[in-house]
Amino acid sequence: MSADNPEHPGFATLAVRAGQQRTPEGEHAEPIFPTSSYVFSSAAEAAARFSGEQAGNIYSRFTNPTVRTFEQRLAALEGGESCVATSSGMSAILSTCLGLLKSGDHIVSSRSIFGTTTVLLTNYLARFGVDTTFVSLSDLSSWEQAVRSETRLFFLETPSNPLTELADIRALATLARANDCLLVVDNCFCTPALQKPLDLGADIVIHSATKYLDGQGRCIGGAVVGDAERVGTDIFGVLRTAGPTMSPFNAWVFLKGLETLELRMHAHSASAQLLSRWLEEQPEVRRVYHPGLDSHPQHDLAAVQQKNSGGIVSFELEGGKDAAWAFIDATRIFSITANLGDTKSTITHPATTTHGRLTPEQRDETGISDGLIRLAIGLETVADLQADLWRGFNQLRSDQ
Ligand SMILES: *Cc1c(COP(=O)(O)O)cnc(C)c1O
């Protein structure tokens, strides 16, 4: 190992150590501070805190030591100046929009984003005069054409769910900058262990901590990471006022999750690679979607933009919905649930669940066919997962 580590300190060290401030008790692990408010030593100190003259805690709607430890740790991992933790991934996105946009502003967003994010933009933000144009994630020219003089923000997820399509973050950051827009990346699928959008030129990173940051399917939470002015002041101001706050207990779960994030993300990726290659060999499978496959159209981009391929594998079965449902119902280890980022592997039929609200034409446009199955590969023994998928294939073979 080289003594001059170019990352000072390394990712895993930050994941385990960053943000912790020991109390005089000398505790080794991070404590949970379940307190709604804080006491002052005098009336004068209370006044100084409230006026902002003196830094320090006032009320846990906006600051809490356990939440702060999580925020500082995630900021260090993403390479951002500032982080604001929120009660969910959706409230992270809402707080970002409330903090950075006003009526009349325009968003250009990838079409392939989390379904509820689409609903937030089209059903709710639109009511407050913020319009969104949806474009193809990987088609740079469609982003360029959608920009208007009122455009303030580009929004995307990469890789996309469930088809693992990639955006070229660097190219979109350049386009955003040229048009005076901010690039906001929902980094839920890769996490900073595999991809650091801020290093590639993005302005803001969003997380649903519910997924891989927790990593064990326990808590709902979110976060926004970026520069001190936009995140530390503008978005923090929304949190302080509107209150979509992360609880100290959830912050503690997430910050312990961060300690094993890098190990977990590489383990999810390794199993997903193995299974996706094996799925490609099965005669009932029309196509497999996973950035680690040579057959993935953006395999080269994934290799430079991501440290590994992630845990999501989607595949299309011949035989449409009936085959997909029969396959899903034959598995015994995979959990039938739409969640992902868990130690437990999950299996989903996007066309009738996560993407069920789309019209058949919209599903066609976005490639969510009736035979498509999405796997979020967990941390079980990979041979057991393969045997479980065999149950699916055997079911199809016996149905013939
Ligand atoms: C789950 C998810 C969200 C929303 O997060 P919640 O914690 O469920 O509110 C946002 N973006 C992506 C990519 C997600 O997978």
Side-chain angles (χ1 to χ4, degrees):
M1 198 184 279
S2 157
D4 28 69
N5 176 3
E7 271 189 283
H8 277 300
F11 187 92
T13 306
L14 293 172
V16 173
R17 299 276 178 178
Q20 186 175 11
Q21 281 180 342
R22 289 213 170 86
T23 75
E25 297 291 349
E27 71 282 352
H28 194 194
E30 299 78 356
I32 308 178
F33 286 88
T35 181
S36 45
S37 70
Y38 302 85
V39 293
F40 312 108
S41 61
S42 65
E45 189 183 70
R49 290 268 176 95
F50 271 80
S51 72
E53 240 166 77
Q54 189 193 84
N57 297 313
I58 298 174
Y59 192 50
S60 281
R61 188 192 319 115
F62 39 102
T63 65
N64 175 280
T66 313
V67 177
R68 186 174 59 235
T69 303
F70 167 72
E71 290 171 335
Q72 291 183 351
R73 193 166 289 184
L74 184 59
L77 296 180
E78 288 284 4
E81 284 176 348
S82 206
C83 171
V84 168
T86 57
S87 56
S88 68
M90 290 319 302
S91 63
I93 298 170
L94 176 64
S95 303
T96 300
C97 293
L98 289 178
L100 302 179
L101 301 174
K102 61 179 184 339
S103 174
D105 287 345
H106 175 243
I107 299 173
V108 181
S109 170
S110 160
R111 191 173 288 126
S112 312
I113 54 172
F114 188 62
T116 312
T117 309
T118 311
V119 176
L120 177 70
L121 298 175
T122 53
N123 293 15
Y124 295 96
L125 279 177
R127 294 212 317 242
F128 296 88
V130 175
D131 261 357
T132 304
T133 304
F134 292 96
V135 297
S136 157
L137 176 66
S138 58
D139 177 7
L140 198 64
S141 68
S142 72
W143 291 80
E144 206 163 359
Q145 281 157 23
V147 173
R148 305 180 197 157
S149 56
E150 313 84 63
T151 309
R152 288 278 298 128
L153 200 143
F154 285 9
F155 187 91
L156 62 88
E157 292 164 19
T158 177
S160 70
N161 177 25
L163 297 178
T164 71
E165 194 190 343
L166 268 67
D168 185 336
I169 297 177
R170 226 182 255 286
L172 278 165
T174 304
L175 182 67
R177 190 134 309 140
N179 289 283
D180 246 344
C181 298
L182 299 173
L183 177 60
V184 179
V185 176
D186 182 334
N187 202 24
C188 174
F189 285 75
C190 275
T191 83
L194 303 188
Q195 170 173 282
K196 293 172 74 167
L198 300 177
D199 287 355
L200 299 167
D203 299 286
I204 307 272
V205 164
I206 301 237
H207 275 286
S208 167
T210 315
K211 313 294 166 50
Y212 289 105
L213 302 192
D214 175 344
Q216 296 176 56
R218 297 162 294 192
C219 293
I220 303 281
V224 187
V225 188
D227 65 276
E229 191 192 325
R230 292 190 190 95
V231 176
T233 305
D234 297 343
I235 297 169
F236 174 72
V238 173
L239 195 91
R240 176 175 183 144
T241 313
T245 310
M246 179 181 282
S247 81
F249 176 79
N250 286 9
W252 183 83
V253 171
F254 295 135
L255 76 90
K256 299 312 278 181
L258 290 179
E259 295 183 6
T260 56
L261 181 66
E262 192 178 33
L263 286 172
R264 287 187 284 108
M265 291 313 293
H266 288 294
H268 286 294
S269 302
S271 294
Q273 287 252 18
L274 255 161
L275 293 171
S276 61
R277 286 208 195 100
W278 173 76
L279 283 167
E280 267 193 326
E281 294 163 6
Q282 306 311 312
E284 293 86 351
V285 173
R286 205 176 270 168
R287 187 164 167 198
V288 183
Y289 300 86
H290 181 69
L293 291 172
D294 293 334
S295 61
H296 191 286
Q298 296 163 299
H299 180 68
D300 294 344
L301 176 60
V304 293
Q305 186 164 284
Q306 300 179 195
K307 288 203 177 116
N308 212 331
S309 53
I312 306 296
V313 178
S314 293
F315 62 101
E316 197 182 327
L317 286 173
E318 307 278 358
K321 185 190 119 179
D322 290 347
W325 280 24
F327 188 102
I328 290 170
D329 289 343
T331 60
R332 289 188 219 143
I333 295 176
F334 279 85
S335 311
I336 306 176
T337 170
N339 200 31
L340 59 97
D342 198 314
T343 50
K344 295 179 170 66
S345 295
T346 66
I347 189 164
T348 316
H349 185 238
T352 51
T353 59
T354 51
H355 294 69
R357 275 177 297 195
L358 301 185
T359 63
E361 296 77 46
Q362 284 172 320
R363 279 203 295 276
D364 265 357
E365 235 175 68
T366 45
I368 315 289
S369 70
D370 287 345
L372 190 76
I373 291 178
R374 188 201 71 191
L375 307 175
I377 304 301
L379 300 179
E380 301 96 335
T381 305
V382 68
D384 293 333
L385 296 178
Q386 186 179 3
D388 206 36
L389 296 173
W390 261 124
R391 293 189 178 103
F393 288 116
N394 282 333
Q395 184 64 40
L396 299 184
R397 285 163 201 177
S398 69
D399 282 351
Q400 296 212 326

